[in-house]
Amino acid sequence: MPTLFHFPSSSRLQTMASASTGSRVSCGRDISCVPEVADTLAAVAKLGFDFLCMPLFHPRFRREYELDPAKARPGAQTRSDLLLCGRDWNTLIVGKLSPWIETDSELTTERRNSEAALVQELNFCAYLGLPAFMIPLRGPQCANLARVLLNHIHTGHHSSMFWIRVPLLAPEDTREDLVENEPCKQIDDSNSEEKTWGWWHSFRTLCDYNKRICLAIEIGADMPSDTVIDKWLGEPIKAAILPTNIFLTNKKGFPVLSKAHQRIIFRLFKLEAQFIFTGASRHSEKDFRTYLQYLEYLNQNRPAPNAYELFAKGY
């Protein structure tokens, strides 16, 4: 994937040089709805982020391709591409698929409508020349999504990468019963922990292991076992999504991560993964850049690589 460049200013150009050596973590900000692209991009840059993840179409704008009269609705489908220069689209923006699109729905009308909307968003991503486009994987039913995406890759002339967003644990397997003080349900932990890995494995197999389809893992509050984490880290991870609700608060009121989360972050540093922060700040008395500062602190204090890791670096 083309590396997501940093914001072009005199101070940032020096940062770009240090980032190329791996001494700095590349971080992005995920925002669900962006009213003004240029203003939001400037605000994100001011906080110290390197790129912005945003939907290309309004998240609530459900386009209709099957039924009249909405099918013939006139007007623009999304914002103009002239709001940013070509270089900014090419280096600073990661697109996101609209959340309402369900290409594997059992309802024929919804499925066909979602297919048309997906093709439209993929084509607009290619037109803008985005470095990456993020697509969420919500369940094991993904054959139609894989078909449409693979057809787009094979028939288009573009270089965008596709980040498949997959949670480490399925939402239904998170341990909310412990918070509610209810008896723990007897489930097969090994099968539930590998459930989402199975989603990813099925999807990339259907996509014929295409090298432009990579992984963006979403790290939740609950963590799978070390064996399952080892399995995930053997995949082509390009990004890790960090929700703000997984951060704890230290004695001074700053955001920190638990030891379990720190261990997986250290291992992701070795893979040179990019990190994406999502969610509102849960430390309102502190600036949002404290999340970035903490991640940079972890990067500066990560364990030194051993001789084997140094020898195998780059392979």
Side-chain angles (χ1 to χ4, degrees):
M1 162 192 169
T3 302
L4 295 171
F5 297 141
H6 306 300
F7 294 93
S9 67
S10 57
S11 61
R12 303 288 284 176
L13 290 175
Q14 297 176 357
T15 307
M16 289 172 59
S18 62
S20 64
T21 62
S23 61
R24 183 180 175 276
V25 183
S26 175
C27 295
R29 181 75 169 102
D30 175 29
I31 299 181
S32 298
C33 188
V34 179
E36 297 291 339
V37 180
D39 293 345
T40 304
L41 192 58
V44 164
K46 188 176 181 180
L47 289 174
F49 290 100
D50 302 309
F51 59 95
L52 172 66
C53 295
M54 54 169 275
L56 299 181
F57 291 69
H58 195 287
R60 292 185 296 176
F61 181 30
R62 291 174 174 256
R63 284 89 69 197
E64 179 59 61
Y65 300 91
E66 297 291 321
L67 304 176
D68 290 319
K71 177 180 176 181
R73 177 168 49 193
Q77 299 294 317
T78 185
R79 70 188 92 216
S80 171
D81 62 306
L82 300 178
L83 294 176
L84 294 177
C85 67
R87 175 181 170 81
D88 287 350
W89 285 117
N90 298 159
T91 58
L92 305 178
I93 303 295
V94 171
K96 292 169 55 182
L97 186 68
S98 295
W100 60 269
I101 293 179
E102 294 285 351
T103 52
D104 289 275
S105 172
E106 295 180 355
L107 302 176
T108 303
T109 302
E110 182 179 7
R111 183 174 65 252
R112 290 178 177 174
N113 206 54
S114 295
E115 287 178 16
L118 173 60
V119 170
Q120 184 184 46
E121 297 199 11
L122 291 174
N123 289 338
F124 192 55
C125 167
Y127 168 73
L128 295 174
L130 300 187
F133 188 71
M134 189 180 299
I135 301 174
L137 206 57
R138 304 188 185 95
Q141 305 300 326
C142 57
N144 203 31
L145 174 62
R147 178 186 64 82
V148 175
L149 178 58
L150 195 60
N151 181 68
H152 172 76
I153 292 175
H154 287 163
T155 58
H157 301 281
H158 49 81
S159 59
S160 297
M161 300 291 288
F162 299 95
W163 292 355
I164 309 303
R165 179 173 180 169
V166 188
L168 289 183
L169 290 176
E172 61 270 19
D173 294 330
T174 54
R175 302 299 296 275
E176 293 181 357
D177 54 325
L178 297 181
V179 178
E180 299 172 358
N181 294 321
E182 293 181 358
C184 181
K185 298 178 181 178
Q186 296 296 325
I187 57 175
D188 188 344
D189 289 338
S190 60
N191 290 336
S192 64
E193 288 185 344
E194 295 186 11
K195 182 188 298 183
T196 55
W197 184 88
W199 301 352
W200 157 251
H201 180 63
S202 298
F203 182 81
R204 56 96 173 267
T205 302
L206 291 168
C207 291
D208 197 24
Y209 292 81
N210 194 286
K211 292 182 179 180
R212 289 170 57 189
I213 297 176
C214 303
L215 187 59
I217 58 171
E218 183 172 357
I219 301 174
D222 296 322
M223 298 287 290
S225 65
D226 291 341
T227 303
V228 176
I229 290 177
D230 290 341
K231 205 169 185 178
W232 278 111
L233 294 177
E235 302 297 337
I237 297 176
K238 292 298 181 183
I241 300 168
L242 304 177
T244 53
N245 60 11
I246 70 173
F247 285 83
L248 307 175
T249 306
N250 65 8
K251 294 180 180 179
K252 295 183 179 180
F254 288 93
V256 295
L257 289 171
S258 67
K259 294 296 183 181
H261 286 93
Q262 289 180 32
R263 286 194 294 270
I264 190 173
I265 295 297
F266 287 144
R267 299 183 67 181
L268 289 168
F269 285 151
K270 297 177 182 179
L271 299 178
E272 298 182 353
Q274 296 172 292
F275 293 88
I276 301 171
F277 289 86
T278 183
S281 174
R282 301 176 68 87
H283 300 76
S284 55
E285 297 180 356
K286 305 295 181 182
D287 193 82
F288 201 95
R289 60 170 54 91
T290 55
Y291 290 94
L292 287 174
Q293 291 169 353
Y294 176 71
L295 199 64
E296 187 60 39
Y297 167 79
L298 292 181
N299 184 43
Q300 297 299 329
N301 292 275
R302 60 178 172 176
N306 56 36
Y308 174 78
E309 291 170 344
L310 289 173
F311 178 79
K313 185 175 177 61
Y315 290 91

